[in-house]
Amino acid sequence: LLPAASVARPSVARRAVAAPPSVDVVARAHQFLDGASGFYSAADESFYADDFVFRGGVVGPLNKRDYLETMAWLGVYRAFELSPNAFGFTRDDEPLSVRYFVRNRGRHVAGFPAKIGLFEPRRGFDQVSGATEAAQIVFDAEGKVRFFTAGAVVGQFEPGVTTGRLGAVLGLFTSIGQSTVGGMALNGAVRGLATGLSRAFDALGVRGVLPKTASHPDDLPQWWRDREGL
């Protein structure tokens, strides 16, 4: 067995690496959420690192281009008037990472998804009272978003929730009375078909016809491929 002093040294070294970063990640996370995510407002491309990855519980991984195109297709911020009611912003032990919670509140005001306007607001299904969801943002050294994950529901049994057990976009479909859409998205075969069709359109040079549920592995940043063993 190694002496206790020898065992302790790696831990000290890790703490040194994870010292408080120069980027104020909590302030930067507020800025991203308020005006750049593509969910509560139009996406601000300047906030995203070139090697950005989004990974939700169902959707993803998506690279920067696919994420921005998918969020534009959905147009959540145009179809809904939402407030995140975000709270609990905490700098993580992981460098340049912040974790927080949202509790979406608002209403359905226009056709959704915005690209095709399929579901119009209906009386009795136009109010959104989302369950509490957990999220994480990891920034790079320049303060740009490198990794974003959201929609992890932790409050599905809260009173008055209209989004059921689903978070983010899928929860919104449930809230407006279209839970079948969310159920379909949970089906791997359906997601695979949608992804295949979207990639087929890409190959024809026609992008943005359908939303993506995952980027092609070859189109993902190397850091993500290394992490996931792709």
Side-chain angles (χ1 to χ4, degrees):
L1 295 177
L2 293 174
S6 298
V7 173
R9 287 191 189 109
S11 176
V12 172
R14 283 196 295 272
R15 288 194 187 116
V17 171
S22 58
V23 177
D24 186 339
V25 292
V26 172
R28 194 64 173 160
H30 278 286
Q31 294 169 2
F32 175 74
L33 197 62
D34 291 343
S37 71
F39 197 88
Y40 305 102
S41 67
D44 182 348
E45 186 173 348
S46 69
F47 258 79
Y48 298 80
D50 290 340
D51 60 350
F52 167 83
V53 171
F54 170 82
R55 185 65 169 104
V58 176
V59 175
L62 292 173
N63 63 25
K64 177 179 178 178
R65 184 177 185 181
D66 290 340
Y67 174 82
L68 294 175
E69 288 181 353
T70 295
M71 295 308 293
W73 191 94
L74 291 167
V76 174
Y77 68 95
R78 298 200 303 270
F80 294 85
E81 292 178 352
L82 288 178
S83 172
N85 296 297
F87 64 98
F89 287 81
T90 304
R91 189 168 60 202
D92 199 355
D93 284 342
E94 180 181 351
L96 299 171
S97 170
V98 61
R99 296 179 185 270
Y100 61 94
F101 301 92
V102 299
R103 192 176 288 142
N104 294 320
R105 296 291 187 271
R107 62 194 185 100
H108 184 199
V109 297
F112 181 62
K115 178 76 172 182
I116 56 177
L118 183 60
F119 301 117
E120 295 291 338
R122 294 186 297 155
R123 182 174 298 178
F125 294 94
D126 58 344
Q127 298 299 309
V128 177
S129 183
T132 303
E133 304 173 18
Q136 179 192 23
I137 304 172
V138 180
F139 297 91
D140 65 12
E142 297 178 355
K144 294 191 174 186
V145 180
R146 193 184 193 209
F147 177 68
F148 178 38
T149 182
V153 175
V154 296
Q156 70 185 81
F157 301 114
E158 295 166 342
V161 164
T162 61
T163 52
R165 62 189 180 91
L166 299 177
V169 171
L170 299 186
L172 294 179
F173 279 114
T174 299
S175 192
I176 64 174
Q178 304 298 334
S179 58
T180 301
V181 177
M184 291 173 61
L186 295 176
N187 185 307
V190 173
R191 293 199 308 275
L193 176 60
T195 297
L197 288 173
S198 180
R199 290 174 182 169
F201 280 114
D202 286 355
L204 294 173
V206 184
R207 297 187 63 94
V209 175
L210 293 172
K212 282 194 172 66
T213 59
S215 296
H216 192 285
D218 292 345
D219 295 331
L220 292 167
Q222 190 62 49
W223 72 265
W224 178 268
R225 296 175 63 190
D226 290 344
R227 194 182 92 167
E228 299 299 306
L230 300 177

